[in-house]
Every structure is written in structure tokens, then in C-alpha cells.
Amino acid sequence: MSPKQMNVAMMTSGGLAPCLSSSVAYLIEFWAAALKAGAISGLSIRMYIDGYKGVLTGDSAVISPDIYGECSCLHDVGGSPIGNSRVKLTNIKDCLARGFIKEGETPLEVAAQQLIKDEITVIHTIGGDDTNTQAAELSKYILEKHGGKVVVVGMPKTIDNDVYPIVQTFGADTAAEQGSIFFTNVVSESSANPRMLIIHEVMGRDSGYLTAATARKYRESLKGAKFTGPGFTTTSKSRDIHAVWIPELHIDIPAEGERLKKVMDEAGCVNVFLSEGAGVGDIVKEMEANGEDVPRDAFGHISLAKINPGVYFSQRLATLVKAEKTLVQKSGYFARSAASNKFDRKLIKDCAEKGVESAIAGVSGCMGQDEDKEGTPIRAIEFERVKGGKHFDKDAPWFQELLKDIGQI
């Protein structure tokens, strides 16, 4: 089979994660390498600006081959180099209200026409499960309605690490590392006031992975810390984590309050790592019982930033531990906007290399370590098997050991 011209498109979508820029950089690198090696006869690379918004509005840019070799600088950049947005192609009402389509149009048809117009043969969707499954639906729509083929090769971006059946999603390890750095500074606020309660709210809608991994990395960093002797209030106990609350664990507030009251009396502070998805069901029930509207985004997800789990739990816990002052600090935006760390770059690089090979072979799927296959190989995982909401394994030995160390179990 002779090499063929490849018109490649890329887009990033959803929330930020420490992997977007590196994903774009590695994909460009491996596509350029494929062209140089003669695996393809020609190459164009188009970036859709601001995710699906750019696809719907035709806002895109073709990257000059002259700068393919310069794109490695993106590894040092956080955020997305081509912009993000949250758009659901089946939510006609939302797309119409935001001006992405006109009355009588459907987002799927508008997006399909744009890809056909731009003669796209491969599209890389760098995003979470919603982003990638939408792209698969779009590809299916183009085939069924227009007889065209667009290969979709997704790159699994989410700091929640909650996509099934993928072992590790891009950016999650970096986000945990950055969350640890964030709290290393924030914990010093425990010295600003007697009996201080600090709630470190970490991103994670359905999965407690990021909260648990951040706690693990932070406690590892404490192992090398040195503290002075008697006469000083800053101790290893005051700098430690005293509770880790995640969606996978039942939170008995009265019992935890009693336990943490003893910590407060001894250490002069209490430090809690809270997953933003923990206890959301209880908060929603309370809001609905009070006749309040529960805010949701275009995908129907509860807007966690607006219902504020950190404030909800801090108000209840503060009374139980007799805190004089309470501080709720969210590390999410700090953590998710970083550039990829060494671990994530290696994972992204391996997936990008396999992803380009898969695209050339005409095989669609979401790249990642397939946990259902022996040896968890990196492969293009069938989109029908990809779904979000995977829970963190709360029984993982390292997490159980962490909970024992801090006295939570």
C-alpha cells in the first residue's frame, strides 16, 4: 500500500490539565517523523482553536512545516497552546445560545461540514471521556451521513484519573505533584492563628484519586523535612495531614469531629484533604430540600465550584473541633495549569508515538494503557469501551497505609 497524504487536525477540550501542550508537541513531532521516514506522502497539521467551538465556527490555523521542529518548546508551557472550551455537540440549545450554530442547524452537522470542508483525514482529540466519545460520534455521523471517513485518535486528558479502562490518564501525576507543592505553602497558615482548621480542597468529581495521590506526594515530601525541638509550635504533627476525605469513603462527620478535636488540642491545628466530589450527594439533597436550584454545566454535570463542598464541610467541622479560624484553599487551578512533569511526558510520548501509528493504519480509538488487556499495553482503545466515572481503589495498600498513619482508620 503506497503512502498517503494525511490532513491532521488537533483540538483540546474540557478543563485544563498538565498535558495539553506536551500532547500537541509530541503529536507534531511524530507526524513530522512519519513524513520524513516516508510512512506518509504528505502532511498538513491544522489546529482548531478553543476545542469544539473552533470546529463549529471554523476557527482554525494550519501550522507551517517550517516550525514543526520548534514545537518542542511547548513542553515547558502549561495550559493549552490552542485554547479550550466546554461544548457538547448534542446540546443544540446550548450551542445555539452561545452563537456556535444558527437556528435550524445541528452541531453535529455543522461540525461534520467543517471537517469535510477542511478535508480532515485524522483528528486528535485531547480531552476527557466526553471529548473523545463526542469525537467518535462525530466520526460515525460523517461516515453514515456523508460517506466520509475521519480517523479519530484521542489522547486521554484528565487530572481525575477516572477514565475506564485506562490505567493512567495524562496530567494526573503532575497535578498531584503540584497540589503537594501548593499545600507545602498553604499549611504554613496553620501558624497564623491558634486552633486553625485548613481544608485543602482538591479537584475530583467522582474519583478520589487526585486527592489521595496529592496526599501521598505531600507526606513523602515531609519525610525529608527537619523540625526543631521543644519550644516551637511548628512540628511534624502540625504540618501533617490529619484527614483525607474522598467520594469512595463514607464520611461520618460527628465521629471524625471527635477524632480531629483531639488532634486540634494536641497540634493546635487540623489539616484536611477534601476531594471536591466528596459528600456531593448530601449537599445536593440539602439544596433540593431547601428549594434551591442545583447548578449544572452543558454536560449536565453538577457545578462543583458553585455548590462549594469545602465551605459546606468546613462549617460543620469547625464547630466540632472548636476551630477559632477556618481556611478553605483550592489547589485545582494551580495544579491543573502546570506543564507536564517527567512521568507524564514519558506517558504522553509513548501514547503519541503509538497514536500516530494507529492513525496511519486507519484505526480509531483513545490512546492509553488498556487495563483489560494482559500487560496493560498502550493501544487505541475502542471508543465504545471508554467511559468516565471510574472510582479510585480505596483498598489500594498504599492508601490504606496512609489512612492508618494519620489515624483515620
Side-chain angles (χ1 to χ4, degrees), residues 161-162 206-209 247-248 389-394:
N161 195 31
D162 65 345
D206 299 304
S207 171
Y209 166 84
E248 293 83 356
K390 182 176 76 172
H391 292 296
F392 167 65
D393 180 10
K394 62 181 175 58

Side-chain angles (χ1 to χ4, degrees), residues 1-6 38-42 360:
M1 185 173 168
S2 60
K4 51 189 174 181
Q5 166 73 28
M6 303 298 282
I40 57 178
S41 62
I360 293 172

